[in-house]
Structure formats: C-alpha cells, structure tokens
Amino acid sequence: MNTNKNDKFNATTQVEDGTCTVYLRGELDLSVAPDFRQVMEPLVEDGELDLVINLKDLKYIDSTGIGILLSILKARHGMSAQFLVREVPAQIQKLFDMTGIAKFFASQENPQ
C-alpha cells in the first residue's frame, strides 16, 4: 500500500488480485492536482491492472479534479482497460449529476 499525503488531500493505493484501488481522502482541487496526477499517471498507463478510484472519504472536488477523472476515463477507454469509480459520496454524486458527467460513471458501482 502506497500513500501520498499532504495536509488536505491524500491518495492511497492498494494492489490486489490484478486490481489497483486508489482511495482518495480530503479535498481534490487545483492546489493538489499535480500530486494526484503524479500518483495516477503510472497507474493509468498500466493496462494490465483494473483501476478503481474509491471516493468514499473525498469531501470536495473542483473542476480540475473532475477534469482529471475524465482524462483518466478517456485514457483507460482508449486502452480498453477497466476503470471504475466507487463509493461516491452524496454531495459529490450531486455535483457529478449537475455537471452531466454522472452518465460516464453510470454503469459503475456506487453504493451509498
């Protein structure tokens, strides 16, 4: 398990049985976007691993964070590689619905 931490955001990765799960905690915004991209880049490019982002402990996401998630979705789709977003908190799901991106994650598991 690897962790990238700062005061307001951290991403923890766990690889098990061919699936890499990235647990996001805190606030994903412009100020932490470079850190998040650095964590995600090698994972996104590894088409052998299924990639899951768990948002259960994410408190806030801005347009920059949403843009990163969409770029991951696009890259993984282009590679025909698995990408799931799970456990989306209600306030973030509402934002996904309002911005129209929920449809891109509609087939994903999102237990509340």
Side-chain angles (χ1 to χ4, degrees):
M1 188 176 285
N2 296 321
T3 302
N4 175 10
K5 286 188 175 188
N6 78 29
D7 290 341
K8 68 182 236 177
F9 173 79
N10 73 58
T12 304
T13 58
Q14 179 179 359
V15 178
E16 187 176 326
D17 298 328
T19 299
C20 178
T21 303
V22 182
Y23 297 90
L24 303 185
R25 177 182 301 271
E27 300 177 7
L28 175 53
D29 62 18
L30 179 62
S31 68
V32 299
D35 296 336
F36 183 50
R37 281 193 180 101
Q38 185 177 10
V39 169
M40 294 307 299
E41 191 172 302
L43 302 175
V44 171
E45 293 173 0
D46 186 346
E48 298 299 310
L49 281 176
D50 289 345
L51 183 58
V52 175
I53 294 186
N54 185 302
L55 302 182
K56 182 174 88 170
D57 294 320
L58 193 66
K59 304 298 180 212
Y60 173 81
I61 187 169
D62 72 359
S63 60
T64 304
I66 290 172
I68 294 170
L69 292 180
L70 289 173
S71 67
I72 293 169
L73 179 70
K74 183 178 178 181
R76 298 291 288 185
H77 180 73
M79 299 166 55
S80 298
Q82 185 76 35
F83 175 61
L84 299 172
V85 177
R86 292 196 172 141
E87 297 192 69
V88 180
Q91 75 273 15
I92 293 174
Q93 183 63 49
K94 185 176 180 180
L95 181 62
F96 286 180
D97 291 340
M98 289 186 334
T99 58
I101 68 164
K103 63 186 172 210
F104 297 110
F105 302 129
S107 63
Q108 316 307 334
E109 287 182 28
N110 288 320
Q112 299 296 322

